[in-house]
């Protein structure tokens, strides 16, 4: 029997009637709205000025809004931190979290990014072959990634995050499902460290549940398991540079009725791999590798 944590997926509330607006503070550093779950959502930036045109929302939930996209591509947001929080409303309730589909900071380096909810995709970074260049993201701290199965993303936008340059520590307090987190930039396309308290879960899509870097990755700590899916390279971690260390619960290879794909439920590096600790088991699947 191969365990699979499908119970971690939390369905969104039914979408029935338009509701909700985005409001910004006079200095443009804070935005507020009512989240679909009833929470009072707050988004803060340290640089630049927010206005309602930068927010794309789903206007059809029964109550509140779903933030499908935040546009931070304007140069005034270079180096900004982004913090998203949610608080239960006295009457409407909520779950103290706010989900975001897509943070689009293409061409801009960001500071600290914190989302107290699920994040579907994030793009950031500037191609610059200088060792001391600012990181694409100085740190990323989210509750989960991809656990809304793409439902919070704009139409036609896939769960594929593209980061150019260095990425600081990445911390996911829940699980990562179906997301491709791709870091490029030669030797500078690196991740300082990767911590997932839940599991890394691949799906039917190629490259789903995958972290890929052109450079190195620091210490990797996955307290749950790595689950390969049926898609090629699903449920995988691959570094073009070295990996400092790996600690994981268990690793499960992918299974398919038509086993023709490779690289499911794997960790690979093109250079050195430090100490490896597997607390549970390694289970092969029907796929290659």
């Amino acid at each position: 029997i191969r365990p699979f944590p499908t119970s971690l997926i939390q369905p969104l509330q039914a979408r029935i009637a338009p509701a909700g607006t985005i409001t910004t503070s006079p200095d443009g550093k804070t935005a507020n709205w009512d989240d679909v779950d009833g929470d009072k959502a707050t988004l803060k930036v340290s640089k630049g000025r927010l206005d309602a045109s930068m927010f794309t929302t789903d206007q059809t939930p029964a109550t509140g809004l779903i933030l499908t996209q935040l546009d931070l591509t304007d140069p005034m947001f270079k180096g900004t931190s982004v913090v998203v929080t949610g608080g239960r409303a006295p009457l409407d309730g909520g779950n103290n979290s706010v989900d975001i589909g897509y943070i689009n900071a293409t061409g801009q380096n960001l500071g600290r990014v914190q989302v107290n909810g699920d994040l579907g995709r994030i793009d950031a970074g500037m191609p610059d072959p200088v060792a001391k260049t600012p990181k694409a993201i100085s740190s990323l701290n989210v509750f989960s990634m991809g656990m809304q199965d793409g439902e919070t993303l704009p139409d036609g936008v896939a769960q594929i995050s593209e980061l150019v340059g260095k990425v600081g520590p990445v911390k996911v307090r829940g699980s990562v499902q179906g997301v491709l987190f791709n870091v490029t930039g030669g030797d500078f396309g690196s991740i300082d460290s990767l911590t997932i308290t839940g599991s890394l879960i691949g799906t039917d899509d190629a490259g789903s549940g995958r972290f890929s870097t052109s450079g190195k990755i620091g210490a990797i700590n996955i307290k749950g398991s790595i689950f390969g899916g049926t898609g090629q390279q699903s449920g995988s971690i691959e570094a073009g540079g070295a990996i400092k260390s790996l600690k994981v619960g268990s690793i499960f290879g992918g299974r398919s009725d038509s086993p023709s794909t490779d690289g499911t439920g794997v960790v690979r590096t093109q250079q050195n791999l430090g100490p490896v600790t597997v607390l549970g088991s390694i289970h092969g699947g029907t796929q290659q590798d």
Side-chain angles (χ1 to χ4, degrees):
I1 297 175
R2 180 173 178 268
F4 195 86
T6 53
S7 61
L8 293 175
I9 300 176
Q10 299 177 357
L12 298 174
Q13 291 184 2
R15 307 175 184 182
I16 301 174
T21 57
I22 300 282
T23 60
T24 57
S25 62
D27 64 359
K29 294 293 189 291
T30 303
N32 297 100
W33 67 96
D34 292 334
D35 181 59
V36 62
D37 293 317
D39 296 274
K40 298 297 183 181
T42 300
L43 184 148
K44 294 184 177 182
V45 296
S46 60
K47 297 181 180 180
R49 289 183 60 88
L50 297 167
D51 65 63
S53 67
M54 299 168 184
F55 294 80
T56 302
T57 60
D58 187 334
Q59 298 282 349
T60 59
T63 57
L65 297 174
I66 298 171
L67 180 56
T68 58
Q69 180 169 318
L70 173 65
D71 187 343
L72 299 178
T73 56
D74 192 296
M76 67 178 170
F77 291 110
K78 181 179 179 181
T80 188
S81 63
V82 182
V83 178
V84 183
T85 57
R88 285 177 54 85
L91 296 179
D92 298 328
N95 55 5
N96 290 318
S97 68
V98 177
D99 303 328
I100 294 184
Y102 179 22
I103 297 177
N104 181 10
T106 303
Q108 304 298 331
N109 294 319
L110 297 178
R112 174 174 66 109
V113 177
Q114 177 179 331
V115 178
N116 290 349
D118 186 80
L119 177 63
R121 172 175 175 167
I122 182 168
D123 292 348
M126 301 175 63
D128 188 348
V130 178
K132 295 183 180 180
T133 189
K135 293 178 178 178
I137 305 175
S138 65
S139 66
L140 178 63
N141 188 324
V142 299
F143 181 76
S144 62
M145 293 191 74
M147 295 307 295
Q148 294 293 357
D149 197 25
E151 289 190 36
T152 57
L153 288 168
D155 290 341
V157 175
Q159 295 187 120
I160 301 175
S161 295
E162 296 288 355
L163 293 308
V164 182
K166 297 179 180 179
V167 175
V170 176
K171 183 176 181 179
V172 182
R173 286 166 284 164
S175 293
V176 177
Q177 176 177 268
V179 169
L180 169 57
F181 195 91
N182 189 38
V183 184
T184 59
D187 291 342
F188 302 105
S190 60
I191 299 176
D192 282 356
S193 62
L194 174 61
T195 302
I196 301 175
T197 303
S199 294
L200 178 62
I201 307 166
T203 65
D204 296 342
D205 296 326
S208 59
R210 173 175 168 83
F211 284 81
S212 175
T213 63
S214 58
K216 64 184 179 180
I217 304 178
I220 300 172
N221 186 358
I222 300 176
K223 294 186 178 181
S225 298
I226 297 175
F227 292 91
T230 60
Q232 182 176 358
Q233 297 179 327
S234 61
S236 66
I237 300 173
E238 185 158 0
I243 294 178
K244 182 178 181 179
S245 62
L246 170 67
K247 185 176 182 179
V248 63
S250 293
I251 302 175
F252 295 86
R255 308 188 68 83
S256 173
D257 292 335
S258 302
S260 60
T261 58
D262 69 336
T264 62
V266 299
V267 178
R268 287 185 177 135
T269 172
Q270 302 301 317
Q271 297 185 20
N272 294 335
L273 173 62
V276 175
T277 303
V278 181
L279 298 174
S281 305
I282 297 177
H283 295 262
T286 60
Q287 317 292 60
Q288 296 181 37
D289 304 325

